[in-house]
Amino acid sequence: MTTVAVVAHSEKQLGGGLSELRQTLIVNGIDDPLWFEVRKSAKAPKCVRQALKQGADLIFVWGGDGMVQHCADAAAGSGVPIAILPAGTANLLATNLGIEKDLAQAVHTGLHGVRHAFDVGVINGERFAVMAGAGFDARVMGSVNSKAKERFGRLAYLRSSAQSTRSKGRHMKIRVDGNMWFNGTASCVLFGNVGTVTAGLHVFPDAEPDDGVLEVGVVTAQGRVEWLRVLGRIVGRHPEKSGMVNMTHGKKISVEFDKPLPYELDGGARPKVKSLKVRVDPGAIWVCIPDVRTAKVPARYLPTNSSKSKVT
């Protein structure tokens, strides 16, 4: 028997809400799940740890990328899979893994889909599943509050991005796997576990969330005109062809700034720091994804092709 837990951000909405989720679980034979609700995603890790302590062997996560990040951070290394119920604004991890924003389908995926082991990144001791960075992207995320997301949706990020293009670059020293890779002025540095971000922009063409490495990108663009040129390359799915973009990948990355910069992970803003320590944690989390034989999800996650996957 599966012991199911639900960890939900009570301020997020999907389908008919949490009442519909309860009814959907009952229809699927889950009458009395472990149930946790929080109003802030930062309180979710405590709920995940309590669920694991009470014997949960499947955790439904209701919320956006910040909620998923906090829950994945707490569940990493436990071997217990999480099932994403994408109730946020961007839902980037769900989108990259082919999990549709449909409550009934998402519940079905959690109960009957494929369970696959994915990497996570770790930045200054905290795990992220999608992307992290410092500079431009952190300013964008830091300027978008919950009210703006509720009012404007994804447009809130575009609005903040336009404002953040005015920010000046900072001198950075970046080492990848022990070797000096970048030493100069840049507007931002990014670390990607997946390729696609908000608005469907494909930032890291080579990113795979189960390849044991993180993608690293540095953008030297400054000012609106240069950022528009970079954005044009990203929209064309070839950011690496821009002369203002440098890319590589690695397992361990260290960054030093000349002055403190804010950073973010999976859309969550963090305070300013003068340095970052980033590494990949291979296969740290198990996530329920649609069965590739019946849904639109990358064929590389077929359970017959990888020991990292199993069908429930």
Side-chain angles (χ1 to χ4, degrees), residues 97-231:
L97 300 182
I99 301 169
E100 296 188 23
K101 195 171 182 178
D102 178 274
L103 181 54
Q105 290 184 15
V107 170
H108 183 273
T109 294
L111 296 175
H112 307 292
V114 175
R115 298 179 177 183
H116 190 88
F118 290 102
D119 308 333
V120 294
V122 183
I123 181 168
N124 283 14
E126 191 174 2
R127 296 177 181 87
F128 64 93
V130 178
M131 197 169 293
F136 174 82
D137 66 309
R139 292 190 183 94
V140 171
M141 299 303 176
S143 299
V144 178
N145 55 35
S146 58
K147 290 184 179 179
K149 287 192 287 186
E150 183 178 339
R151 182 178 180 183
F152 300 107
R154 295 186 180 186
L155 290 177
Y157 293 104
L158 296 178
R159 183 184 181 188
S160 179
S161 296
Q163 296 171 342
S164 297
T165 57
R166 303 168 187 167
S167 301
K168 295 182 179 180
R170 288 282 188 269
H171 191 273
M172 306 179 186
K173 293 182 180 179
I174 304 174
R175 290 178 171 82
V176 178
D177 292 335
N179 300 312
M180 181 64 72
W181 174 68
F182 181 87
N183 187 350
T185 300
S187 302
C188 74
V189 56
L190 292 171
F191 315 100
N193 190 41
V194 300
T196 303
V197 298
T198 303
L201 297 178
H202 206 56
V203 176
F204 291 114
D206 297 328
E208 297 287 355
D210 59 355
D211 60 3
V213 296
L214 294 174
E215 302 301 312
V216 186
V218 166
V219 180
T220 58
Q222 296 190 53
R224 186 166 298 178
V225 174
E226 291 189 351
W227 268 107
L228 285 174
R229 289 169 59 189
V230 170
L231 182 60

Side-chain angles (χ1 to χ4, degrees), residues 24-80:
T24 303
L25 290 174
I26 289 173
V27 169
N28 283 274
I30 310 298
D31 300 316
D32 189 26
L34 303 174
W35 195 276
F36 305 87
E37 290 185 30
V38 298
R39 297 187 67 179
K40 293 184 178 180
S41 59
K43 296 184 178 181
K46 182 178 179 180
C47 299
V48 172
R49 289 190 288 269
Q50 184 62 34
L52 293 173
K53 186 176 180 180
Q54 292 181 234
D57 44 26
L58 173 62
I59 300 175
F60 279 99
V61 178
W62 172 287
D65 290 308
M67 187 70 173
V68 173
Q69 181 268 316
H70 282 294
C71 291
D73 189 29
S78 69
V80 174

